[in-house]
Amino acid sequence: GSLAAVQMCMGEGASERGGGYLFAHMSTTDYGSMYYSVSEDGVNWKTLNGGKKICGYRGHPDFCRGRDGRHYMIGVEAGSWEPLLWVTENFVEWKVEKRLPPSVFDVSESGFYTERIWYNAPKMFFDEDSGQYIITWHPANLKYENPSTEKESRDMWRSIRTFYVLTKDFESFTKPERLFRFAGEFENMPTMDAIIRKSGEKYYAFIKDERWPEDIQHGFKAVRWTKSDNLIGPWQNPSGPVTDAWTEAQTLVRAPDGKGWNLYVEFYPHRYGLYAAPQIEGPWRRMEMKSPDARHGSVVEIDAKTMRALREAYPDGGTPD
């Protein structure tokens, strides 16, 4: 997931008494719906709303704080499978702001294919410097439908690349372009779940390396980071893996009291783990975490007022598994 303008949150949220974190996520048995869990310390989570879904949102939850201070997410409309822009002012209530044209995600001119049910789980970040939102997603060069062999399936995942569009108003969008152009051993590295943050003067993207164990000895199906001086690159070759293998759907927030960073990743297919680092470039180490029943989600810092409102609107369902 993608919480935009991370720096705007550094002095609030978990550092404030009674604040903490909100985790919007799918559940193991209800892929595509949105559930809420909350935590005061980023480690121990409680699922809200008695374990029931929060609203009619369908998609891969991913927070983006916008220019207006509201938070946005991209979802889909079940049935028509058109992309929807959801918005909230307080995290208690979400509404559909508008439909997005499916053509925004059409990359067929580049020989790639955007899957139409989930639109490859788009992520979004608001760049204060340029006043633009960047939306990233990960089409494949080979189609998803019904691979007949394990090799076909693996080759499809190997063909995934990250694309992006820019928009200032969700009315007009730039033409989709490839985001990463790595070199050397990383030239053909498939990338997925790219989330963008800004720290200091640098842009950072945390990406999943979608290579398989037979492709590389170390770092397959793990999260790496890359950085750039500019929102759209060029991006330097990625770091070594910062998570274990078979992790994805990463989401990144400031640690409590602004002391370092927390990186949450899904050990697919059913639980999340936590990695922590004093600086965004690491060193990253795995921490103990009491995970809710969570798939593909997004974590955001919230203040004490928001935490109280969420607990009142959606009482928790007891201790998570």
Side-chain angles (χ1 to χ4, degrees):
S2 198
L3 153 68
V6 155
Q7 292 162 305
M8 296 169 68
C9 299
M10 284 171 60
E12 57 196 53
S15 60
E16 179 184 346
R17 191 174 182 85
Y21 299 92
L22 169 63
F23 186 12
H25 54 82
M26 305 175 179
S27 77
T28 309
T29 56
D30 190 8
Y31 193 89
S33 293
M34 184 167 71
Y35 296 79
Y36 272 180
S37 297
V38 291
S39 174
E40 292 179 10
D41 59 8
V43 174
N44 297 285
W45 296 88
K46 284 206 168 184
T47 299
L48 299 182
N49 205 32
K52 298 189 291 291
K53 68 182 180 182
I54 294 300
C55 63
Y57 174 86
R58 297 285 295 164
H60 291 63
D62 182 67
F63 294 127
C64 170
R65 180 170 173 154
R67 157 191 306 114
D68 53 11
R70 301 188 300 170
H71 281 76
Y72 292 86
M73 287 196 300
I74 296 175
V76 295
E77 181 180 63
S80 76
W81 304 115
E82 292 197 354
L84 303 174
L85 183 68
W86 287 76
V87 64
T88 185
E89 296 186 11
N90 54 17
F91 294 114
V92 174
E93 296 174 339
W94 286 90
K95 67 176 184 179
V96 175
E97 181 95 335
K98 64 182 300 178
R99 291 172 180 269
L100 301 176
S103 57
V104 168
F105 300 96
D106 184 353
V107 288
S108 55
E109 276 187 22
S110 301
F112 281 76
Y113 173 75
T114 296
E115 167 274 321
R116 270 298 293 272
I117 292 183
W118 306 113
Y119 291 86
N120 302 120
K123 321 256 178 258
M124 190 160 49
F125 171 79
F126 177 65
D127 178 40
E128 284 192 300
D129 290 354
S130 64
Q132 297 182 102
Y133 296 87
I134 182 170
I135 303 172
T136 61
W137 72 104
H138 44 276
N141 189 224
L142 301 170
K143 285 201 173 189
Y144 278 65
E145 277 104 9
N146 305 318
S148 59
T149 64
E150 176 68 15
K151 181 182 184 303
E152 278 186 18
S153 175
R154 292 190 174 212
D155 284 347
M156 185 277 295
W157 290 105
R158 286 186 179 100
S159 80
I160 281 179
R161 302 292 185 269
T162 299
F163 280 72
Y164 75 92
V165 294
L166 301 172
T167 182
K168 290 194 172 185
D169 52 15
F170 301 106
E171 292 286 337
S172 59
F173 299 83
T174 59
K175 184 181 172 186
E177 303 277 359
R178 285 269 301 276
L179 186 56
F180 306 117
R181 299 283 186 179
F182 300 137
E185 63 177 298
F186 297 103
E187 182 179 0
N188 295 310
M189 173 181 153
T191 57
M192 199 174 88
D193 289 345
I195 58 169
I196 295 172
R197 302 286 185 269
K198 194 171 186 196
S199 182
E201 295 301 307
K202 300 285 187 182
Y203 293 90
Y204 289 85
F206 281 69
I207 53 180
K208 182 192 176 189
D209 183 340
E210 201 56 87
R211 288 178 292 184
W212 292 89
E214 60 264 35
D215 301 329
I216 48 170
Q217 286 188 316
H218 184 57
F220 55 86
K221 306 291 183 183
V223 176
R224 303 171 184 262
W225 59 265
T226 172
K227 68 178 174 179
S228 173
D229 293 327
N230 301 293
L231 179 64
I232 58 174
W235 295 84
Q236 71 175 34
N237 272 1
S239 70
V242 299
T243 67
D244 293 281
W246 310 107
T247 53
E248 64 182 18
Q250 58 273 13
T251 177
L252 181 73
V253 290
R254 294 298 308 218
D257 299 317
K259 294 175 180 173
W261 297 84
N262 281 357
L263 178 68
Y264 298 91
V265 295
E266 181 185 344
F267 284 79
Y268 53 97
H270 67 290
R271 66 188 168 87
Y272 262 75
L274 168 63
Y275 293 80
Q279 268 87 40
I280 199 165
E281 295 189 12
W284 291 92
R285 59 193 181 98
R286 189 166 175 191
M287 313 293 286
E288 289 296 316
M289 184 178 110
K290 195 171 187 179
S291 176
D293 172 14
R295 297 214 56 190
H296 207 118
S298 184
V299 177
V300 64
E301 275 188 276
I302 55 174
D303 59 23
K305 179 183 175 185
T306 303
M307 180 71 85
R308 284 195 302 272
L310 286 170
R311 288 189 183 278
E312 287 173 13
Y314 303 111
D316 70 56
T319 306
D321 298 335

